[in-house]
Amino acid sequence: MQGWLKLHRKILHSEIFENEKLLKVFIYCLTKASHKSTESRVGRQKVTLKPGQFIFGRKKAASELRMNESTVRDYIKILQEDSVISINTTNKYSVITVENWGIYQSNDEEYDNKTTAEKQQDDNSSSPERQQKDTYKNGRELKEVKNVKEFITTTTSERLDCDSIQFYQNNFGIIRPQISEEIVKWVEDLGDPLIVEAMKRSLDRNKPTWGYVKSILQSWINKGIRTVEQADAEEIEYKNKQANKSPYSKQSQSQEVLPEWFKNREEQEKHHINKKPSIEDTARTIELSIKLKRSRENILDSIDDRYNISEEDIASIREGKRSAIDVLLEQSNLSVAGEP
């Protein structure tokens, strides 16, 4: 197959360009695709191909691309899942269609496969009315193609300007178009800062997958969390609640004699775990719970009912009339004064 094809500079900003093997397979598909309707023979059978189509064989492609067959299969599947190509498979062969082939290879000027002499002959034989109609038709079609290209370019630029997508590419790796589309939708709902925060937490927990990030986001939605501040407050409340829980002690079933240094370390660890939160930590938990609009029962549960906070106390803290530490200190002083 001879001739040339066009490759727009915008590919530099596409997801395909970020992966050299995926780019290689994509260009392979472009170069193998037919530029006009033609017929090809597979064994004894004739196969009609439209512009942008070609007959695909994995073994031959692997040989021409100098890749393993499994690698070719995987990247072809990625292009198919991202709607860059479509595949029609029979029991004898597969036909790959490069989607939007007309947009990729459209010409902004009025060129075709005819020679200059043929063009002049056709132009001279056409009536002025026909020439005017063709010019209008071609101009309208060219405008439509340009509009499609402009839409694709604008959409791609908007995606690449998204902070969440930039963070994903810098920390998670190559982003697939399907994931980038999902990220854009999440950003529209919750905003960039919260999406980036969820990605950071997935990295901190050593679970750098988009699926885990989505589980964090869905959890926040279920809890009514819409800002990074609320997410931080929920995280602190959860950690304080975990620290307040006493560990379940089990009696040792072994009569093994333990060294003295091990016993001392074990006692220190138990003392550290069972240490109650300070009044400052408890006040901070209460204030964060109020910011998250928790009910009085949830607030008391988060501080293990160590203080009896009333609805009036909660209202005064929410309105800024008193701080949580003032309420707790007042209750502590009343408790001390009331002791016999």
Side-chain angles (χ1 to χ4, degrees):
M1 185 178 295
Q2 297 179 349
W4 53 272
L5 54 84
K6 295 194 298 183
L7 193 63
H8 202 284
R9 290 188 179 93
K10 287 296 180 182
I11 197 172
L12 293 173
H13 307 295
S14 69
E15 294 89 348
I16 293 177
F17 188 78
E18 299 293 333
N19 187 317
E20 58 182 15
K21 291 185 178 179
L22 184 61
L23 176 64
K24 186 177 181 180
V25 173
F26 173 64
I27 294 178
Y28 175 82
C29 292
L30 290 180
T31 56
K32 298 294 288 187
S34 175
H35 69 281
K36 63 180 180 180
S37 297
T38 185
E39 288 185 347
S40 182
R41 187 175 293 277
V42 180
R44 298 181 180 180
Q45 184 177 356
K46 276 188 177 182
V47 180
T48 301
L49 297 175
K50 298 178 182 179
Q53 292 184 332
F54 67 98
I55 296 174
F56 173 75
R58 196 164 64 200
K59 289 185 178 180
K60 183 179 180 181
S63 175
E64 294 176 339
L65 288 166
R66 297 181 182 179
M67 294 180 178
N68 294 329
E69 287 187 36
S70 59
T71 304
V72 174
R73 177 199 62 206
D74 292 341
Y75 284 111
I76 286 291
K77 185 177 180 181
I78 290 175
L79 293 175
Q80 182 185 19
E81 290 176 350
D82 296 337
S83 299
V84 177
I85 63 173
S86 59
I87 305 176
N88 183 22
T89 303
T90 69
N91 58 350
K92 294 183 178 179
Y93 60 88
S94 296
V95 174
I96 287 182
T97 302
V98 179
E99 301 294 343
N100 300 321
W101 171 263
I103 296 177
Y104 294 146
Q105 302 305 317
S106 63
N107 202 337
D108 292 347
E109 300 179 13
E110 295 304 314
Y111 291 114
D112 55 25
N113 293 326
K114 297 180 180 180
T115 63
T116 303
E118 288 174 332
K119 281 188 175 182
Q120 291 176 350
Q121 184 178 358
D122 287 346
D123 292 341
N124 293 334
S125 62
S126 300
S127 64
E129 182 180 354
R130 172 68 179 275
Q131 291 176 0
Q132 184 178 1
K133 185 180 293 184
D134 289 345
T135 302
Y136 172 76
K137 180 181 179 182
N138 293 335
R140 186 178 60 184
E141 291 176 349
L142 182 60
K143 184 178 180 181
E144 291 176 354
V145 170
K146 286 183 177 179
N147 289 340
V148 173
K149 286 183 176 179
E150 183 180 355
F151 171 76
I152 294 173
T153 302
T154 303
T155 305
T156 304
S157 300
E158 289 176 353
R159 287 180 179 176
L160 292 173
D161 289 340
C162 178
D163 291 340
S164 299
I165 289 182
Q166 291 290 347
F167 186 88
Y168 186 101
Q169 290 177 328
N170 294 335
N171 296 275
F172 288 70
I174 303 301
I175 186 171
R176 292 171 56 182
Q178 181 181 356
I179 294 179
S180 67
E181 290 176 2
E182 291 184 8
I183 291 178
V184 169
K185 291 178 181 178
W186 279 100
V187 170
E188 290 174 355
D189 293 338
L190 299 178
D192 258 327
L194 199 60
I195 309 304
V196 172
E197 180 63 23
M199 291 183 185
K200 289 179 179 178
R201 297 196 182 190
S202 71
L203 293 173
D204 292 340
R205 297 167 188 174
N206 198 26
K207 296 181 179 179
T209 65
W210 173 239
Y212 188 76
V213 174
K214 285 197 296 184
S215 68
I216 295 176
L217 294 172
Q218 190 61 52
S219 173
W220 285 344
I221 286 180
N222 296 339
K223 296 176 182 178
I225 295 173
R226 291 294 184 276
T227 65
V228 175
E229 183 183 17
Q230 290 177 335
D232 290 339
E234 190 270 341
E235 180 79 2
I236 293 174
E237 181 186 16
Y238 173 77
K239 289 181 178 179
N240 289 338
K241 195 170 182 180
Q242 291 296 111
N244 293 335
K245 291 181 179 180
S246 299
Y248 179 76
S249 59
K250 293 183 179 180
Q251 294 184 352
S252 176
Q253 297 179 358
S254 174
Q255 300 298 324
E256 180 182 0
V257 178
L258 300 176
E260 193 65 28
W261 62 267
F262 186 87
K263 292 181 180 179
N264 293 336
R265 187 184 69 177
E266 191 176 33
E267 289 298 327
Q268 291 176 0
E269 290 176 351
K270 287 182 179 180
H271 177 72
H272 178 72
I273 292 174
N274 292 326
K275 183 180 179 181
K276 293 183 178 180
S278 64
I279 192 170
E280 290 82 4
D281 291 337
T282 304
R284 192 178 300 110
T285 300
I286 293 173
E287 290 175 347
L288 293 175
S289 298
I290 292 175
K291 281 185 179 181
L292 292 172
K293 299 180 181 181
R294 298 283 192 256
S295 65
R296 176 174 176 269
E297 289 74 17
N298 288 336
I299 294 175
L300 294 177
D301 183 55
S302 66
I303 61 175
D304 290 341
D305 296 313
R306 291 191 304 277
Y307 298 90
N308 186 20
I309 306 297
S310 65
E311 293 289 354
E312 290 76 13
D313 294 331
I314 294 174
S316 64
I317 296 172
R318 181 182 296 111
E319 295 169 3
K321 296 179 180 179
R322 289 193 298 170
S323 65
I325 188 93
D326 291 336
V327 173
L328 297 182
L329 287 173
E330 181 181 342
Q331 288 200 9
S332 298
N333 294 333
L334 289 175
S335 298
V336 172
E339 289 180 357

